[in-house]
Amino acid sequence: MGPIGENEFFFLMQGLKWTVLLAVVGFIGGGIFGILIALLRTSKMKVARRITAGYIGVFQGTPLLMQLFVVYYGVALLGIEVNAWIAVAIAFTLHASAFLGEIWRGSIEAVPKGQTEAANALGLHYVSRMKDVILPQALKISMPATIGFLVQLIKGTSLAAIVGFIELTRAGQIISNQTYRPLLVFGIVGAIYFIICWPLSHAGSGLEKRMAKAAR
């Protein structure tokens, strides 16, 4: 068994950097497209609602692992050369946009109808109504679920290793193969995930409890 020293720890930190960066890119990119999907899902256009419902259904109904494979190898079949980082970033953005779009769609519909009626009575057009009245309330309602999804997204980055992307879990696997100390290595990897995810989960639970008390 080999020792786990500074080099191995630094390699894990490099993997952690890519894990965090991938989660951030996927969450921000997914958030941008997710807002558009949520708005289309709640629009009066029947075709837009059906298309976005189908889009969400595809990503919610298939494993993230399969989505990574399809994006990584599907793009290559089109004759476009992309490295693993770009492929997984695209896959995570698409995945996150579907889930966040559905979360925020539910939050928009959870805003009391009286708010929309009041905005209409004031003569606010659609953009102002959504930007100034509906979305601020909807995003507040969605915070616990949004944070919960972010936690799942961070843990889901471990699947990116399947297409050769070296994030935290893959870095741990490489070090484990070199040192023959899998229990110690993956114990450290698990502890790092816990340090990142537990505060977020705790914050999400706290928000949910505070919102439940405020609603009483």
Side-chain angles (χ1 to χ4, degrees):
M1 293 185 184
I4 296 177
E6 286 185 17
N7 290 337
E8 287 76 18
F9 186 75
F10 179 74
F11 191 64
L12 279 179
M13 291 302 99
Q14 287 291 104
L16 173 61
K17 178 187 74 174
W18 290 113
T19 288
V20 172
L21 189 58
L22 179 57
V24 168
V25 168
F27 187 74
I28 292 174
I32 292 168
F33 289 108
I35 283 286
L36 295 175
I37 289 168
L39 292 174
L40 290 171
R41 284 282 284 129
T42 55
S43 73
K44 294 180 180 180
M45 295 183 291
K46 192 173 182 180
V47 174
R49 292 200 307 271
R50 286 187 174 180
I51 291 172
T52 49
Y55 175 87
I56 290 168
V58 167
F59 283 94
Q60 288 191 341
T62 56
L64 176 56
L65 186 63
M66 191 202 79
Q67 294 164 23
L68 286 165
F69 268 124
V70 168
V71 173
Y72 185 70
Y73 293 106
V75 171
L77 286 174
L78 296 174
I80 303 171
E81 291 289 331
V82 294
N83 59 32
W85 160 245
I86 294 175
V88 297
I90 292 171
F92 272 84
T93 295
L94 295 174
H95 176 81
S97 69
F99 279 82
L100 290 174
E102 186 64 4
I103 289 170
W104 294 338
R105 187 274 311 164
S107 300
I108 289 171
E109 292 181 349
V111 174
K113 300 256 184 233
Q115 298 291 319
T116 302
E117 291 168 1
N120 288 334
L122 290 171
L124 296 179
H125 56 74
Y126 177 79
V127 174
S128 293
R129 187 169 68 243
M130 295 304 295
K131 179 173 69 73
D132 299 324
V133 179
I134 306 300
L135 286 182
Q137 296 180 70
L139 291 176
K140 183 179 178 181
I141 293 169
S142 73
M143 281 304 292
T146 301
I147 292 172
F149 175 73
L150 175 59
V151 171
Q152 295 302 316
L153 192 68
I154 291 169
K155 292 188 285 188
T157 57
S158 62
L159 295 174
I162 201 71
V163 296
F165 186 71
I166 302 178
E167 40 60 65
L168 181 58
T169 300
R170 177 59 178 156
Q173 185 181 23
I174 292 169
I175 293 171
S176 174
N177 292 339
Q178 291 174 345
T179 61
Y180 300 103
R181 302 182 75 175
L183 191 60
L184 176 60
V185 172
F186 284 105
I188 294 170
V189 169
I192 293 171
Y193 276 115
F194 179 80
I195 289 168
I196 296 171
C197 294
W198 184 82
L200 290 171
S201 296
H202 185 67
S205 298
L207 274 171
E208 194 167 11
K209 288 176 183 176
R210 283 197 294 274
M211 289 172 64
K213 286 181 181 178
R216 288 174 187 171

